[in-house]
Amino acid sequence: MFRWGILSTAKIAREQLIPAIQDAENGVLSAIASRDEAKARALAECAGAPHAFGSYEAMLASDTIDGVYIPLPTSQHVKWAVKAADAGKHVLVEKPLALNAEDISQVIAARDRNNVVVSEAFMVTYHPQWLKVRELVQGGAIGRLRHVQGAFSYFNVDPANMRNQPELGGGALPDIGVYPTVTTRFVTGAEPARIQARVDRDPKFGTDVYASVKADFGAFELTFYCSTQMALRQHMVFHGDKGFIEVVAPFNAGSYDHHRVELHDAGHASTQQFRFPAAKQYRLQVEAFARRAAGEEADYFTLEDSVLNQKAIDAIYRAAGSGGWQQV
């Protein structure tokens, strides 16, 4: 059994990853670390973890864990991913891994010199609904893909929330703009060549709170918007010349709506619906990661894939600043 350590008591760890680890067939929650030892002990007791540490360094030095999940603020991801790898631990780090593509080279170097598995936590790539969309698109179910359209938004104006703090890596693009980008790349196996974008920033927070993006993939285009100050919405559509696919709750299936993929024919006369009611994308993620760490065959999100996705995000910022097309 893979022994997990959680580096901090962050909300996503409490609400998503710890339940996923507890539910997993090949993992166990072994330790919680926090800079506040009382918080670590309280969460460890609540979650049934036998070990609690009052510093991240102490947990990384311990032989009670095989790997860690890092849900720290984005600005700290690269630093602690490198530290964890250098401690000989496998590392699952919350997305986005970095705030620019160049920084990921440090993590790749740490992975390679320590022979550990390091992965960015894009849980959507493990969800069977996205595997189905990829199968349908690449299998020709909608003919020639011409356009992908996406949206991801929520409303958050809490100044204490890290998503509204630029020094911690806040902003709409790092938090949610990565999802339309990564799922389009995952489904098609293609990479954007150039990008056009508009990005609006909050005058008080300084973070990007709205982005409208057009990405040229050559054979097709991706357009999407994301915002941290708009009404809740998630949607992805893959439109071809023989039909189109709608992913109703693409990123937080079960929260925004049911796990549902709809395949429509060209005349909009018939629809096939695919449902995945028992799917738990966070559990599937931690199980795949643990299998890979054990040396078994398992598809997982590689650091090389992280570099490609972050390059697209970097290009969005450049495009917004220039007002024109930017190469990825």
Side-chain angles (χ1 to χ4, degrees):
M1 296 288 278
F2 188 86
R3 299 171 302 165
W4 285 94
I6 308 294
L7 210 82
S8 104
T9 58
K11 180 180 179 182
I12 191 170
R14 299 193 310 270
E15 296 186 358
Q16 302 292 356
L17 266 292
I18 288 176
I21 292 166
Q22 292 169 329
D23 199 28
E25 294 182 350
N26 59 351
V28 62
L29 182 62
S30 182
I32 305 289
S34 171
R35 292 192 173 100
D36 183 333
E37 189 170 354
K39 286 186 178 180
R41 292 193 179 281
L43 182 56
E45 182 177 349
C46 179
H51 307 285
F53 297 91
S55 75
Y56 304 148
E57 292 88 350
M59 187 174 75
L60 293 180
S62 169
D63 62 1
T64 62
I65 62 168
D66 301 308
V68 296
Y69 167 64
I70 301 177
L72 295 169
T74 300
S75 59
Q76 300 179 38
H77 286 176
V78 167
K79 171 185 174 180
W80 285 101
V82 170
K83 283 180 175 288
D86 282 341
K89 309 302 182 186
H90 302 288
V91 187
L92 178 65
V93 59
E94 190 50 50
K95 47 76 11 209
L97 170 58
L99 291 171
N100 62 76
E102 288 184 1
D103 286 349
I104 300 174
S105 62
Q106 304 172 48
V107 188
I108 292 174
R111 175 199 66 185
D112 292 348
R113 68 175 170 261
N114 295 289
N115 194 30
V116 292
V117 175
V118 184
S119 180
E120 188 174 9
F122 273 114
M123 74 294 183
V124 290
T125 62
Y126 303 88
H127 199 299
Q129 73 174 358
W130 282 110
L131 298 175
K132 187 64 179 180
V133 175
R134 183 171 66 178
E135 174 194 319
L136 291 170
V137 170
Q138 296 192 10
I142 58 172
R144 178 189 172 194
L145 177 65
R146 295 303 306 273
H147 195 92
V148 182
Q149 187 177 52
F152 195 171
S153 60
Y154 59 80
F155 194 88
N156 181 339
V157 291
D158 177 8
N161 191 290
M162 66 153 284
R163 292 163 183 81
N164 295 318
Q165 299 180 34
E167 67 275 13
L168 296 182
L173 282 165
D175 189 39
I176 53 179
V178 292
Y179 283 111
T181 307
V182 79
T183 50
T184 300
R185 295 179 51 254
F186 178 77
V187 165
T188 64
E191 300 296 336
R194 58 180 186 153
I195 286 176
Q196 227 176 19
R198 168 184 171 176
V199 174
D200 295 343
R201 294 183 180 274
D202 186 281
K204 179 181 178 182
F205 300 141
T207 53
D208 54 287
V209 295
Y210 171 81
S212 177
V213 179
K214 180 178 181 178
D216 178 8
F217 281 74
F220 66 92
E221 292 179 333
L222 161 67
T223 60
F224 74 88
Y225 67 84
C226 63
S227 177
T228 56
Q229 293 185 15
M230 290 174 67
L232 290 168
R233 188 176 185 226
Q234 293 187 7
H235 203 62
M236 289 290 289
V237 178
F238 293 77
H239 204 143
D241 58 0
K242 294 181 180 178
F244 64 95
I245 297 165
E246 292 186 89
V247 190
V248 178
F251 313 122
N252 297 114
S255 296
Y256 276 61
D257 205 329
H258 298 296
H259 313 67
R260 191 167 81 251
V261 171
E262 294 180 349
L263 171 62
H264 304 266
D265 69 358
H268 215 271
S270 65
T271 300
Q272 286 182 264
Q273 194 172 93
F274 305 90
R275 289 177 176 267
F276 309 88
K280 296 181 179 181
Q281 58 188 2
Y282 289 97
R283 173 183 171 173
L284 293 169
Q285 176 181 242
V286 298
E287 287 181 340
F289 183 88
R291 288 197 301 274
R292 190 74 185 195
E296 301 173 23
E297 285 296 319
D299 290 334
Y300 77 111
F301 200 84
T302 68
L303 292 181
E304 287 73 18
D305 213 359
S306 293
V307 171
L308 293 171
N309 209 66
Q310 188 59 45
K311 280 185 175 180
I313 302 300
D314 293 350
I316 293 172
Y317 283 119
R318 294 198 308 273
S322 72
W325 288 101
Q326 285 289 314
Q327 297 300 118
V328 176

